[in-house]
C-alpha cells in the first residue's frame, strides 16, 4: 500500500521533472537561437497568453478534446473491424488494402468538400477526418499481428474443433494484442493532429481553429498557447493508453 | 505435490467413449518436404480402444504422422480414415510436442480452453479434479510463465485429458516429468484413457511397455512401420511385471536394428 | 541588360501565382527588372502566414500581403513596412447566391454566412451588418476555411465573406450560378489596399527596392497598355494557368492595379487603422510611418 | 521457372482486376450520388485532365516522388535510431517519448516558418516535414518490438557473454523485425501525404503544390488527376515495401 | 543418421579447460516468488571438473537453481561463487529447458551464435564436426522450423558444446531424444565435457547414473539438497556396469523418499 503510494509519488515527481526539463529545453532553444516571438515565443510569453486567454482557450480545448476522443473511438472501431475482416479473408485483404493505402494519401483539402457535403460543418465531419487519419496505423499493425499468430496455437484450437470465429476470438485476438498495442499507441499519438486536421475542414471552434485564426492574425503566442494545450492532451492521452495497454498485456514479455 | 488417484473416475463412464471408439487406418500415405521424403506409401492401422505406443529414432517422422492424423498437415498423398469409415480429424484430442499453453490464460483456463472454443459450458468439477490429479491444484490461477517445465507439461496433459474424445494423440507427453511424477501420471493416463484409441509417441521403452497394448516402431527413411508388438496384460503394468521386462527388451532390440 | 552583378530580390507571394500578380509577372516578361539591374525571384507559399514572418526574419526581401493584416503584424511587433501597393482597392466582398433571394444587408437575418480565417471576418461582417441594422448574432457564421465556392455552390451557406470579387464571383458564374456581390467598401468598411508589398524595416531604404518599384511601375503600365498580349505571354509561360477563369480575372483585375505602386495614401491607412482599433483587432494605433512608407 | 512466370502473370492480372474494380467503384459513386464535377469528377473527366496536363503533371510527380523517397529514407533512419536508443535506455525513453508524442501534435502551419527559416524554401524543408510525419510509426512500432523480445533468447545471449550491443545486433533487431515491418508499412503508406504536407511548407513544385493550386482555383479535375498519380505512387511504394518485408521475414509465421 | 564418435577429440585439449575448472559453491541461497519460497538458505557445492547430475521432483527448483548459477535470476538472498573464489556467471555455457534456437538462423548459425555474439572468428571445422556428431550434418542450412523436436534439441546441444567454457549447465538436455540417439549423445557429451565442471539436470535415473560423477537430489519445499551420491567408475558407464545398476537403484529409493 505505502510502497505503491511511494512509487506513485516517485512517478509524479519524475513526470514533473521531465515536464520542466522539456520546458527548459524549449526556453534555451528560443533564446539560444535568438528566435523572435513571431517564430518561436518563449515559455513566459506563451504562459502569459495562456493566462490571458484561459477562458476562451478552455472552451476551445473542450471542443478539441471531444473531437479527439470521438475520432480515436471511431478510428479504433474502424481499424479493428478492418483488421479482423482482412485477417478473415485473404481476398478481402487484397481488395481492401489498396483502398486503405490510397485513403492515406488523400490530402484533407481534397476531401473536405465531400466531407462537408455529406456530414455538414458540424462535429461529424471533423470526427470523420480525424478517424480517417487514426484508423490506418491501428488496422495495419493489428492485421499484421493477427496474421503472425503462433501456428501451433491455431493448430491446437483446430484440433479442439474451434470454428474460425472461435479461433479468432479466443486465440488470435489475444495473441495479436501486443501488435494492436503498437497500432493503438500510434493512433493515440496522432489523434490530436487528426482532430486539428478535422477542424481544418472548417469549424468555428477548437484549438485547431484557434491556431489558424491566431496564425492569420500573427498572434504567435496565442497559437503556441493552443499548441501547448494540445501537446498536454497528446501526452495525457498517450499516458492513459499506455496504462490501459500495460493492464491488457500483463502476460506479454516486456524488457522495458 | 502428491497425486490423489483415488478420485479419478474410470474413463468408461466418459461421454466420449460410450460408443466403442474406432481405430485409425493410414492408407498409402506419402509426405514430402521438398525433395526430402518422409513417408512413401505408408500403410498402418491401430486397433480401436487400445493404446498404441509409437517409437522411432529422432527425425523419423513420428510427429509428422500424428499431425497428419490430426489433420494438421496436408499429406502429399494418401489418406487417414477411422476403422468405422468416418474421418477422424474431428474426433481427436491432440497434445503436441510443445505444451502450447496460451500465455495469457491461467492454468485453469488453459485446461478448459476446448470447452470455451466449442462454446460448451465449462465442467469446473472435472477440470479441477484433473488439475488435482496432475498435482497443479495449487496453481489453478497461475499463468504458464510462472510454471516449471514439468508443470507446464502436466497442465497440457490435463488439457488433453479434459477433452472427451474417442481418439487421443499424444506426442512425448511425459518427457519433461521426473520418474516419480511420471509413474503417477502414467497410472492416471492409463485410467482416463482406458477404452479410448490412443496413439502415444514416446522415447522411453519402459513407458511404452508399461502403457501400451501395442508397440509400433517407425524406422528408416522414408519411414516404414515395423510389425506391431503386442504386450500381454492390462496397462498400466507394474514395473516388476515380467511382460514388461520382456517386451521392453524386445523393443530395445528392435530399435537397435532400426538404426 | 546589365546581367553582371544583378542584385537579387526574393519576393514571396501571398498565395499561388495568379492574375493578381500581373504587374510583377509583366515586369518579368518585359525584362523591366533586368533593365533596373535587379533579379527578382518569385516564391509561392502555401500558407499566407509564412511570408511576413520570413521577411521579418530577413529570410526573404519582400512579401506580398494585405493591408488589414499589416496592422496586426505591426501590433505584434513584426519589423515590417509597406513599401508598395499592388491592388489599391479592396477585393473582399460579401458574395451571396441570387437564388437565396438575398438582395440587401437586411435580408441576411438568420442566414448562414461562411467565412475563411482572414482574421478580420467579425469586424468586417459586423460593420456591414450594422448598415442594415443587424448585428453578428443575427446571423449564423460558419468557418468554411478555404472552400468558399463549394460551400456556396452546395448551398451549405447562403453567403460568404472574404471572397474575392475578381475570383470567386467569376468562378460562380463559370458554374452557372449568378452571384449577388456586396463590396465591403460600400457598406461602411474604410477603403484599403488589398495587396501590398512589405519589406523589412531595417533595410527598407535599400536602393534596390527603388529599382524594384520603378520596374514594377513599368510592368503595370505595360500591362494596362497591352492586356491581351501580356495575357498570351502569361498563358504561354504557365500552361497550367491557361484557362477561362484566369483569362477573365486578368481582364477584370486590370482596373484595380495601383497605377503608381509606390504611392502611399497615409490618410486611408490611418482611417483603416482606426477601424481595426475600434474593433479591438489591434491593441493600439501606431503612427502610419511605423508600418507604411513611401519610397520617393 | 514457368510456374513462377505463371504466378507472376496471375498476380499482374489480379492487380489489374483490383485496379479496374476500384475505378469502377469510384465511377459508380460519382454518378450514383450525382456529385458535381467540383466535388468528385468522374474517371473520364480526370483521365482527360491527366492527358491534357501530362507533361506538367509528370514534372511535378517526379519532384514529389523524390520527396517521398527522401522523406521515407530520413524518416526510417530517424525512427530506427530513436527506437534503438530508447530500447537501450529506459531513462532516455522516458525523456524522449513525450517529445516524440508532442512532435506528432504540431500542425504543419505552426512549424512551417521555423522549417523555412532553418532549411530555406528548398527541398530539404519539405523532406524534413515529411520525415517528421513518417518517423513516428516506425519508431513506436519498432521500439515496441524491441522491448517485447523473447526473454529466453536474451538470457541465452547473456550466458554467451554478449555485450548489450551484440545482443541488440544479433538478437533483438532480428526479433523485432516483424514489428519494424508493421511500422514500415504504416510509414510507407503515409509517406506520400507526408510529402504533400511538406509541400504545404511552401514550394513551387510537386503534386501537393498542384493539388493546392488547382484546389484554390476550383480546377477539381486537375486536383484529382494529381491525386490519382499520388495514389498510384502510394500503392506502388506499398507493394515494394511488402516485397522487401516478405524477403526479410522469411522466418516469421504468416497465416495470410 | 549414424553418429561418428571417432572424430570427437577429447575435451582436455579444449582451450576452456586448460586450467583445472573450478567447482560451484552456492551459499545461503534464498529465492522467493511472492509468498512462494523455492529456496531458503540453501547451501551446496559441486566439485570442479566433475559432472554432477541434479535430480528432483518436477517443480522443486532445479531450473531456478541453474538459472541463478548462470546469473539469469537475481536470488532474493545469498550468492554463487566458484571454488576458486571468482564469480562463475561469465564462465558458463548454459543450455535451457527450451532449445531457444533463433528461428531466423540456420542450424549452423545457431550453433556458432556464441562466437558471433562475442565477435570471435567462427570455428567452422569444430561446428561442422559437432553437427556431424549430433547427426545434423545434413541439416546445416535448415531453419529450426523445419526440424523435428529431437533435432532441435540436438542443435541446442551442439550449440552448448561449441562453447569452450569451463563450467557447463544443462537443463534436461536429452529429454526429447530416443533411447538409441540418446545413448550415442551420452557418449559424445561424456567425451566433450570430460574435465569440465558440469551441472546436468535430468529426470532419467539411468542417464544420471551413466554420466554423473555425483548425483544430487533436490527435495522438499523449500528445496534442500540431499547428500550427494558418488558413483564409482568413469562415465560414460556401459549399461551393464554394476556400479550403474547399484547407484540407479539407490537413486530411485532416494527419489521415492523425497516425495
Ligand atoms: N517466473 C516465476 N514466477 C513465479 N513462480 C515461478 C517462476 N518460475 C518458476 N516458478 C516456481 O518455482 C518453482 C520451481 O520452478 P523450476 O522451474 O525451478 O522447477 P524445476 O525443478 O525446474 O521443475 P521441472 O523439473 O518441472 O522443470 C515452481 O513451483 C514454479 O511454480
Ligand atoms: N516444416 C517442415 N519443413 C521441412 N521439413 C520438415 C518440417 N517439419 C519436419 N520436417 C522434417 O521431417 C522429418 C520428420 O520430422 P518429425 O517432427 O515428424 O520427426 P519426429 O519423428 O517427431 O522426431 P522427434 O522424435 O525428434 O520429434 C524431420 O527430418 C524434419 O527435418
Ligand atoms: Mg516429434
Ligand atoms: Mg526445469
Amino acid at each position: 500500500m505505502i510502497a505503491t503510494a511511494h512509487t506513485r509519488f516517485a512517478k509524479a515527481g519524475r513526470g514533473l521533472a521531465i515536464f520542466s526539463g522539456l520546458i527548459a529545453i524549449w526556453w534555451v532553444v528560443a533564446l539560444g537561437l535568438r528566435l523572435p516571438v513571431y517564430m518561436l515565443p518563449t515559455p513566459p510569453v506563451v504562459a502569459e497568453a495562456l493566462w490571458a486567454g484561459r477562458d476562451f482557450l478552455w472552451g476551445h480545448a473542450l471542443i478539441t478534446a471531444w473531437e479527439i476522443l470521438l475520432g480515436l473511438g471511431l478510428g479504433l472501431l474502424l481499424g479493428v473491424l478492418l483488421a479482423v475482416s482482412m485477417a478473415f479473408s485473404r481476398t478481402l485483404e487484397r481488395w481492401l488494402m489498396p483502398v486503405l493505402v490510397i485513403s492515406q494519401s488523400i490530402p484533407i483539402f481534397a476531401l473536405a468538400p465531400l466531407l462537408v457535403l455529406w456530414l455538414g460543418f458540424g462535429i461529424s465531419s471533423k470526427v470523420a477526418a480525424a478517424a480517417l487519419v487514426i484508423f490506418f496505423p491501428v488496422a495495419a499493425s493489428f492485421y499484421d499481428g493477427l496474421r503472425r499468430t503462433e501456428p501451433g496455437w491455431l493448430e491446437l484450437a483446430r484440433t479442439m474443433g474451434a470454428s474460425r470465429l472461435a479461433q479468432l476470438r479466443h486465440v488470435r485476438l489475444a495473441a495479436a494484442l501486443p501488435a494492436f498495442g503498437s497500432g493503438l499507441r500510434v493512433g493515440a499519438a496522432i489523434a490530436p493532429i487528426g482532430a486539428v486536421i478535422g477542424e481544418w475542414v472548417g469549424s468555428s471552434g477548437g484549438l485547431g481553429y484557434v491556431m489558424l485564426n491566431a496564425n492569420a492574425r500573427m498572434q504567435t503566442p496565442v497559437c503556441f498557447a493552443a499548441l501547448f494545450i494540445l501537446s498536454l492532451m497528446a501526452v495525457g492521452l498517450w499516458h492513459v493508453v499506455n496504462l490501459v495497454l500495460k493492464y491488457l498485456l500483463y502476460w506479454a514479455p516486456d524488457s522495458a | 505435490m502428491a497425486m490423489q488417484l483415488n478420485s479419478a473416475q474410470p474413463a468408461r463412464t466418459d461421454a466420449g467413449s460410450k460408443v466403442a471408439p474406432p481405430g485409425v487406418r493410414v492408407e498409402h500415405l506419402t509426405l514430402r518436404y521438398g525433395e526430402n521424403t518422409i513417408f512413401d506409401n505408408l500403410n498402418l492401422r491401430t486397433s480401436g480402444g487400445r493404446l498404441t505406443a509409437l517409437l522411432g529414432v529422432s527425425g523419423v517422422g513420428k510427429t509428422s504422422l500424428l499431425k497428419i492424423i490430426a489433420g494438421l498437415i496436408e499429406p502429399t498423398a494418401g489418406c487417414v480414415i477411422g476403422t468405422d469409415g468416418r474421418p477422424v480429424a474431428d474426433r481427436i484430442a491432440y497434445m503436441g510436442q510443445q505444451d502450447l499453453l496460451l500465455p495469457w490464460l491461467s492454468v485453469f483456463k488453459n485446461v478448459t480452453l476446448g470447452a470455451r472454443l466449442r462454446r460448451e459450458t465449462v465442467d469446473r468439477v472435472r477440470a479441477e479434479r484433473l488439475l488435482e490429479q496432475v498435482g497443479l491444484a495449487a496453481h489453478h490461477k497461475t499463468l504458464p510463465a510462472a510454471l516449471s517445465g514439468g508443470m507446464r507439461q502436466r497442465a497440457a496433459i490435463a488439457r488433453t485429458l479434459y477433452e472427451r474424445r474417442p481418439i487421443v494423440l499424444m506426442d512425448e507427453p511425459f518427457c519433461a516429468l521426473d520418474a516419480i511424477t511420471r509413474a503417477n501420471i502414467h497410472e492416471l493416463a492409463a485410467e482416463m484413457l482406458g477404452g479410448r484409441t490412443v496413439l502415444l509417441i514416446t522415447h522411453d521403452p519402459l513407458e511404452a511397455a508399461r502403457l501400451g497394448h501395442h508397440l509400433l516402431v517407425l524406422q528408416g527413411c522414408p519411414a516404414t512401420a515395423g510389425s506391431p508388438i503386442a504386450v500381454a496384460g492390462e496397462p498400466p503394468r507394474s514395473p516388476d511385471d515380467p511382460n514388461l521386462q520382456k517386451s521392453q527388451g524386445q523393443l530395445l532390440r528392435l530399435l537397435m536394428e532400426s538404426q | 541588360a546589365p546581367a553582371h552583378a544583378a542584385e537579387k530580390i526574393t519576393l514571396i507571394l501571398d498565395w499561388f501565382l495568379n492574375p493578381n500578380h500581373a504587374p510583377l509577372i509583366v515586369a518579368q516578361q518585359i525584362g523591366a527588372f533586368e533593365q533596373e539591374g535587379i533579379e527578382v525571384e518569385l516564391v509561392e507559399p502555401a500558407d499566407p502566414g509564412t511570408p511576413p514572418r520570413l521577411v521579418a526574419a530577413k529570410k526573404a526581401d519582400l512579401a506580398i500581403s494585405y493591408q488589414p493584416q499589416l496592422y496586426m503584424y505591426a501590433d505584434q511587433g513584426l519589423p515590417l513596412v509597406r513599401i508598395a501597393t499592388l491592388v489599391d482597392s479592396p477585393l473582399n466582398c460579401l458574395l451571396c447566391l441570387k437564388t437565396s433571394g438575398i438582395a440587401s444587408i437586411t435580408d441576411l437575418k438568420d442566414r448562414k454566412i461562411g467565412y475563411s480565417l482572414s482574421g478580420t471576418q467579425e469586424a468586417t461582417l459586423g460593420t456591414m451588418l450594422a448598415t442594415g441594422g443587424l448585428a453578428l448574432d443575427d446571423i449564423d457564421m460558419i468557418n468554411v476555411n478555404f472552400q468558399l465556392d463549394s460551400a456556396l455552390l452546395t448551398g451549405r451557406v447562403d453567403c460568404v465573406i472574404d471572397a474575392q470579387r475578381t475570383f470567386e464571383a467569376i468562378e460562380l458564374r463559370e458554374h452557372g450560378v449568378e452571384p449577388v456581390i456586396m463590396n465591403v467598401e460600400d457598406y461602411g468598411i474604410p477603403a484599403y489596399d488589398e495587396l501590398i508589398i512589405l519589406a523589412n524595416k531595417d533595410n527598407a531604404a535599400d536602393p534596390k527596392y527603388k529599382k524594384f518599384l520603378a520596374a514594377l511601375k513599368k510592368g503595370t503600365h505595360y500591362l494596362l497598355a497591352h492586356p491581351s498580349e501580356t495575357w498570351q505571354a502569361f498563358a504561354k509561360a504557365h500552361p497550367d494557368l491557361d484557362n477561362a477563369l484566369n483569362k477573365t480575372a486578368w481582364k477584370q483585375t486590370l482596373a484595380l492595379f495601383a497605377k503608381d505602386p509606390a504611392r502611399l495614401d497615409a490618410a486611408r491607412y490611418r482611417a483603416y487603422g482606426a477601424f481595426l482599433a475600434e474593433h479591438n483587432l489591434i491593441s493600439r494605433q501606431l503612427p502610419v510611418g511605423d508600418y507604411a512608407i513611401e519610397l520617393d
Side-chain angles (χ1 to χ4, degrees), chain A, chain B, chain C:
Chain A
M1 214 60 263
I2 295 154
T4 59
H6 267 111
T7 53
R8 214 174 290 118
F9 275 128
K11 275 221 179 75
R14 202 176 55 224
L16 211 65
I18 294 178
F19 178 77
S20 32
L22 298 180
I23 298 272
I25 295 171
W26 164 18
W27 207 328
V28 170
V29 170
L31 292 182
L33 300 178
R34 290 232 175 52
L35 290 171
V37 67
Y38 51 83
M39 282 290 179
L40 179 64
T42 55
V45 178
V46 173
E48 203 183 311
L50 259 173
W51 181 251
R54 56 190 177 285
D55 305 338
F56 131 92
L57 283 172
W58 176 247
H60 289 290
L62 286 183
I63 299 176
T64 301
W66 193 224
E67 290 166 352
I68 291 177
L69 292 184
L70 290 179
L72 188 57
L74 185 60
L76 280 180
L77 189 70
L78 208 63
V80 169
L81 287 182
L82 286 168
V84 168
S85 39
M86 288 192 296
F88 240 100
S89 141
R90 185 93 182 79
T91 357
L92 186 67
E93 190 265 346
R94 288 223 184 81
W95 282 83
L96 218 45
M97 229 358 148
V99 187
L100 303 191
V101 171
I102 289 173
S103 77
Q104 292 308 292
S105 63
I106 304 175
I108 187 66
F109 54 79
L111 205 62
L114 286 173
L115 282 177
V116 173
L117 177 69
W118 290 328
L119 303 170
F121 279 104
I123 192 170
S124 41
S125 56
K126 286 123 198 107
V127 172
L132 192 69
V133 185
I134 296 166
F135 90 90
F136 187 76
V138 179
S141 299
F142 195 27
Y143 170 69
D144 252 26
L146 286 171
R147 63 191 263 205
R148 300 222 182 275
T149 313
E150 158 69 43
W153 293 338
L154 293 176
E155 291 178 353
L156 177 69
R158 290 226 305 281
T159 64
M160 288 174 158
S163 65
R164 293 196 63 202
L165 194 66
Q167 288 177 40
L168 185 76
R169 178 148 164 263
H170 292 285
V171 182
R172 299 180 76 179
L173 283 184
L177 218 49
F180 170 77
S182 308
L184 175 55
R185 278 204 187 81
V186 176
I190 61 176
I193 195 66
V196 169
I197 290 176
E199 290 171 11
W200 182 255
V201 170
S203 70
S204 321
L207 293 175
Y209 169 84
V210 172
M211 282 191 256
L212 277 172
N213 209 353
N215 201 43
R217 292 181 183 171
M218 211 37 80
Q219 296 167 341
T220 323
V222 178
C223 183
F224 274 80
L227 186 51
F228 178 78
I229 301 179
L230 196 67
S231 316
L232 286 189
M233 289 184 178
V235 174
L237 182 60
W238 173 265
H239 193 65
V240 173
V241 165
N242 267 334
L243 287 182
V244 173
L245 285 177
K246 218 190 200 78
Y247 171 78
L248 286 178
L249 293 174
Y250 59 89
W251 54 271
D254 186 348
S255 71
Chain B
M1 45 191 69
M3 318 270 157
Q4 291 87 341
L5 289 178
N6 46 352
S7 59
Q9 89 280 48
R12 51 203 59 73
T13 69
D14 266 14
S17 48
K18 282 231 174 53
V19 293
V24 176
R25 274 207 336 260
V26 174
E27 292 177 341
H28 311 298
L29 185 68
T30 302
L31 176 66
R32 282 196 198 81
Y33 288 116
E35 65 283 357
N36 173 5
T37 306
I38 312 301
F39 304 122
D40 184 8
N41 190 15
L42 175 71
N43 292 288
L44 60 80
R45 181 178 205 305
T46 75
S47 44
R50 301 310 205 144
L51 189 150
T52 309
L54 187 62
L55 294 90
V57 67
S58 168
V60 72
K62 303 182 291 299
T63 300
S64 303
L65 179 59
L66 230 61
K67 282 192 163 181
I68 291 172
I69 295 173
L72 298 176
I73 301 181
E74 201 42 53
T76 317
C79 70
V80 174
I81 190 95
T83 46
D84 58 0
R86 288 180 35 229
V88 294
D90 57 348
R91 289 182 286 175
I92 57 120
Y94 177 77
M95 175 172 170
Q97 204 161 358
Q98 290 88 23
D99 51 57
L100 295 177
L101 298 175
L102 298 180
W104 56 87
L105 293 183
S106 68
V107 168
F108 181 84
K109 287 202 154 153
N110 264 292
V111 170
T112 54
L113 178 65
R116 256 173 293 105
L117 280 174
R118 291 184 299 268
R119 324 177 111 265
E120 298 165 357
T121 54
V122 172
D123 183 344
R124 302 193 65 83
V125 184
R126 176 182 173 85
E128 267 154 21
R129 192 191 288 109
L130 273 166
L131 281 177
E132 205 180 336
Q133 289 167 331
V134 298
L136 291 178
H139 291 279
H140 218 272
K141 292 191 174 56
T142 318
L143 287 181
L147 295 180
S148 79
M151 292 159 98
R152 293 178 64 99
Q153 190 166 52
R154 283 180 277 149
I157 294 168
R159 183 187 60 200
T160 315
L161 295 181
Y162 178 87
E163 299 291 293
R164 290 196 178 82
R165 298 297 189 98
I167 306 174
V168 181
L169 311 174
M170 300 176 109
D171 197 343
E172 302 179 32
F174 312 123
C175 66
L177 300 178
D178 61 283
I180 313 302
T181 313
R182 189 184 297 204
N184 297 331
I185 299 280
H186 280 168
E187 299 183 12
L188 172 66
E191 276 193 59
M192 300 276 304
L193 297 175
R196 304 197 208 180
T197 308
V198 184
L199 205 52
L200 179 137
I201 298 178
T202 177
H203 285 318
D204 178 353
L206 178 66
E207 185 169 278
R210 267 202 86 190
L211 293 179
H213 296 94
H214 307 284
L215 312 184
L216 195 61
V217 176
L218 274 186
Q219 51 191 301
C221 179
T224 55
S227 52
I229 308 169
V231 190
E234 263 304 302
R237 307 181 181 78
S238 75
D240 43 21
D241 182 327
N243 303 320
L244 185 73
Q245 309 297 349
K246 181 162 145 303
S247 42
Q248 188 183 354
Q250 205 175 346
L251 190 54
L252 273 169
R253 225 169 301 111
L254 249 175
L255 290 169
M256 291 295 190
E257 292 157 9
S258 78
Q259 289 295 295
Chain C
H4 66 278
E7 282 181 285
K8 259 187 100 0
I9 293 183
T10 356
L11 186 154
I12 314 179
L13 303 176
D14 57 318
W15 184 236
F16 299 107
L17 193 64
N18 63 58
N20 287 348
H21 309 126
L24 289 162
I25 297 161
V26 173
Q28 290 272 35
Q29 283 177 8
I30 63 173
F33 293 128
E34 285 90 337
Q35 287 158 30
E36 293 294 336
I38 55 176
E39 179 191 339
V40 178
E41 182 197 4
L42 303 181
V43 180
E44 294 175 294
D47 165 28
T50 316
R53 284 190 171 89
L54 293 172
V55 172
K58 299 211 178 90
K59 271 286 155 180
D61 300 305
L62 302 175
I64 296 186
S65 186
Y66 319 95
Q67 186 186 333
Q69 265 63 33
L70 174 59
Y71 298 87
M72 302 174 186
Y73 303 159
D75 197 45
Q76 295 295 324
L78 272 72
L80 297 171
V81 285
R82 167 271 177 211
I83 62 161
T85 298
L86 213 52
V87 172
D88 60 4
S89 74
L91 294 180
N92 190 355
C93 66
L94 181 70
L95 209 57
C96 306
L97 296 171
K98 229 192 189 70
T99 54
S100 68
I102 294 174
S104 72
I105 292 289
T106 46
D107 304 334
L108 292 177
K109 192 159 185 10
D110 302 327
R111 295 307 191 101
K112 290 206 204 63
I113 300 187
Y115 65 96
S116 72
L117 294 166
S118 63
T120 53
Q121 57 275 2
E122 292 89 354
T124 311
L125 204 51
T127 312
M128 294 181 78
L129 289 170
T131 61
L134 298 177
L136 280 178
D137 43 23
D138 292 327
I139 58 155
D140 187 358
M141 277 183 88
I142 296 174
N143 167 27
V144 299
N145 217 358
F146 39 75
Q147 3 164 7
L148 292 171
D149 324 71
S150 51
L152 257 187
L153 285 167
T154 52
R156 284 276 160 198
V157 293
D158 306 303
C159 309
V160 291
I161 188 72
D162 297 323
Q164 281 194 9
R165 59 192 70 164
T166 48
F167 253 108
E168 280 75 10
I170 303 169
E171 243 159 26
L172 290 180
R173 291 205 182 84
E174 271 201 339
H175 290 101
V177 179
E178 200 38 48
V180 179
I181 304 174
M182 304 188 200
N183 293 337
V184 292
E185 64 273 25
D186 307 337
Y187 295 86
I189 312 293
Y192 60 88
D193 302 346
E194 185 73 40
L195 286 186
I196 55 178
I197 298 179
L198 304 179
N200 190 304
K201 261 185 188 160
D202 304 350
N203 55 14
D206 188 320
K208 70 181 175 183
Y209 293 149
K210 286 225 183 68
K211 299 177 184 169
F212 171 79
L213 289 176
L216 184 57
K217 192 167 184 177
K218 278 192 210 158
T220 315
H221 288 147
Y222 191 88
L223 166 66
L224 296 179
H226 314 83
S228 40
E229 172 202 333
T230 47
W231 160 256
Q232 301 300 346
F234 173 73
K236 216 155 140 297
H238 303 276
D240 53 310
L241 301 182
D242 181 4
N243 56 43
L245 168 60
N246 283 328
K247 190 162 188 207
T248 330
W250 189 273
K251 298 234 155 38
Q252 293 214 353
T253 324
L254 288 177
L256 305 171
F257 290 119
K259 312 276 172 303
D260 179 359
R263 202 183 139 276
L264 168 69
D265 181 342
R268 251 171 68 160
Y269 274 69
R270 209 171 289 106
Y272 197 81
F275 166 73
L276 290 182
E278 144 200 354
H279 287 86
N280 306 319
L281 283 171
I282 52 175
S283 54
R284 63 200 185 293
Q285 245 191 301
L286 298 163
V288 172
D290 284 14
Y291 52 81
I293 56 172
E294 178 165 344
L295 302 171
D296 40 70

